Amino acid sequence: MEIDDYNPKAREAFGKSLVDIGVSIYKGIIILFTIVPITVILKTTLSNNPKDTNLIMIFGNMSVSNYVTLIVFLIAAFLAAHFFRSEGLKHIHESEGNDS
């Protein structure tokens, strides 16, 4: 069964689930950029190791392949989130147009 064959209520529910998936991906990215630095700061602060650790040193010690992999995954996540949200909104919009 194709998506176009669904009734308007089912299509709206499908669109809402796509939007929820996209928003969840965006939330995951935001959590990544907030929780990871806070965790590194807390780990450094609470450890008994007198060696200073900061985010600049961590990113400075990464290899080029790690940078590329990180950037590719972030770009893929943003593109997937955008795709899911836009497709979900399209389905919701089309289901609202079919109600009348």
Side-chain angles (χ1 to χ4, degrees):
M1 183 179 240
E2 294 291 321
I3 300 296
D4 296 332
D5 297 337
Y6 289 168
N7 65 21
K9 292 284 186 188
R11 192 166 185 165
E12 182 179 357
F14 179 69
K16 285 182 181 180
S17 66
L18 287 176
V19 170
D20 289 342
I21 291 169
V23 169
S24 296
I25 293 172
Y26 281 131
K27 285 181 181 179
I29 293 170
I30 297 303
I31 287 173
L32 173 74
F33 284 119
T34 56
I35 298 299
V36 170
I38 291 170
T39 305
V40 169
I41 291 168
L42 286 176
K43 181 181 180 284
T44 304
T45 304
L46 299 175
S47 70
N48 293 330
N49 191 359
K51 178 183 167 189
D52 288 334
T53 305
N54 58 27
L55 294 174
I56 296 171
M57 285 177 42
I58 292 171
F59 283 112
N61 292 333
M62 286 174 53
S63 67
V64 174
S65 62
N66 286 347
Y67 282 121
V68 170
T69 304
L70 178 68
I71 290 175
V72 166
F73 280 139
L74 285 174
I75 290 171
F78 274 113
L79 291 176
H82 177 72
F83 173 75
F84 283 127
R85 283 192 68 241
S86 62
E87 284 296 310
L89 292 174
K90 181 181 85 170
H91 286 294
I92 291 171
H93 178 70
E94 289 176 1
S95 70
E96 289 174 352
N98 291 339
D99 279 342
S100 56

